[in-house]
Amino acid sequence: MATAVNALPSSPTPLELPEFSAQTRLLVIAPHPDDETIATGLLIQRVRAAGGEVKILLLTAGDNNPWPQRWLERRVRIGAAERARWGQRRHAELEQALRRLDVPPQSLQKLGWPDMGVTDVLLQTSRHAIATLSAAIGTFRPSIFAMPSIDDRHPDHGAAHVLMRLALAEQNGAPMQLAYLIHGHPAHDRFVEVAGTATQSINKREAMTAHHSQMALSGRRMHRLAGRPERYSEVPSTRQASATALPWQPPIWLQPRLRLSVADGSETQVWRWSQAPLQRDSDGTYHLALSAKNHEGLRFAKLTCDLPSLWIFDHWGWCEL
């Protein structure tokens, strides 16, 4: 039921998943409660049906989700107590969803990072965060790893991808890495599709319904996602050729409000756009010019704007260099 679609003609091998068995160990990275169901509900059930083991690594409690909370609780102000109660509600919903997906309670590990704050975790405490993730990976020893895509426009999802890649880079014998996309559009064409049986599809829809707080304002979209096969892109387990070109060409009038962040396995750096080590070529492409050291590991860059906005999603997001 796992099939390769849209494979580029130049790719040496089509994307495909291994046969699941009792030896399969799937580690799912969920930035928020409900991501595990939306993105991997069928994959989880396929692994469990084959006798494999599943672990869910939940990064945040999903407590900073004010609009559904305002709607369901008929309130405007949301303070610390209200957020804590909302996080408890979402945890109870997650427990119900995992039961529908045949995931035992002990397979859930919660990190308690701030909702809408995973980017800050990456930029401010990257070494500690990477060490935490590396420990979880080393303890479980997954054979398949499912994480958010770097193309996902939710800031927690994009930052989660970067952190997981940096943590996996420190592992010996990295597992197969799959990336799922919930918010946004993929920047490439190669992916695998995972379908389920009729029973597994019903279970996924019921698990989705268990996340009642998220269905209030997004129920139609969530049901639409639950009704189609899951798609994953494969993340290369080895580093690709180094590049310095940035994919953005922001307008001059906006540049004073922009910040450029760069993260690798050892440090993070943040500059105002005007102060960043950039060079522009004749085509107008900006290149990152970091000459302090010869860097051979993974490196990621993010462009953000300081202008206030009610829109939570990233306009530019992260890119891999």
Side-chain angles (χ1 to χ4, degrees), residues 43 66 96 101 127 130 137 156 168 203 208-209 211 215 218 226 230 254 268 277 286 313:
L43 178 61
Q96 287 186 315
L101 300 177
R127 282 312 310 164
I130 292 171
I137 296 168
D156 285 348
L168 281 166
N203 289 340
M208 194 85 77
T209 302
H211 289 287
M215 302 294 285
S218 304
E230 294 166 355
L254 189 59
T268 58
Y286 289 96
F313 296 107

Side-chain angles (χ1 to χ4, degrees), residues 73-112:
E73 296 184 356
R74 299 295 190 266
R75 67 171 63 249
V76 175
R77 183 186 179 278
I78 297 176
E82 289 78 20
R83 281 188 56 179
R85 185 177 64 248
W86 188 255
Q88 292 170 358
R89 174 175 181 165
R90 295 198 66 181
H91 176 71
E93 294 172 346
L94 174 60
E95 289 182 325
Q96 287 186 315
L98 292 181
R99 282 196 292 270
R100 296 305 306 166
L101 300 177
D102 190 33
V103 178
Q106 62 270 24
S107 295
L108 174 66
Q109 180 179 349
K110 299 183 293 182
L111 296 188

Side-chain angles (χ1 to χ4, degrees), residues 2 11-12 24 65 95 114 117 141 161 172 175 202 217 221 225 229 234 241 257 259 267 271 298-299 321:
S11 59
T24 302
N65 190 223
E95 289 182 325
R141 302 188 310 279
H161 178 96
N172 293 322
I202 291 172
L217 297 182
R221 174 176 177 269
L225 290 172
E234 185 174 8
R257 306 304 298 267
R259 285 177 290 115
E267 63 179 350
W271 304 272
L298 292 173
R299 176 176 281 159
L321 298 174

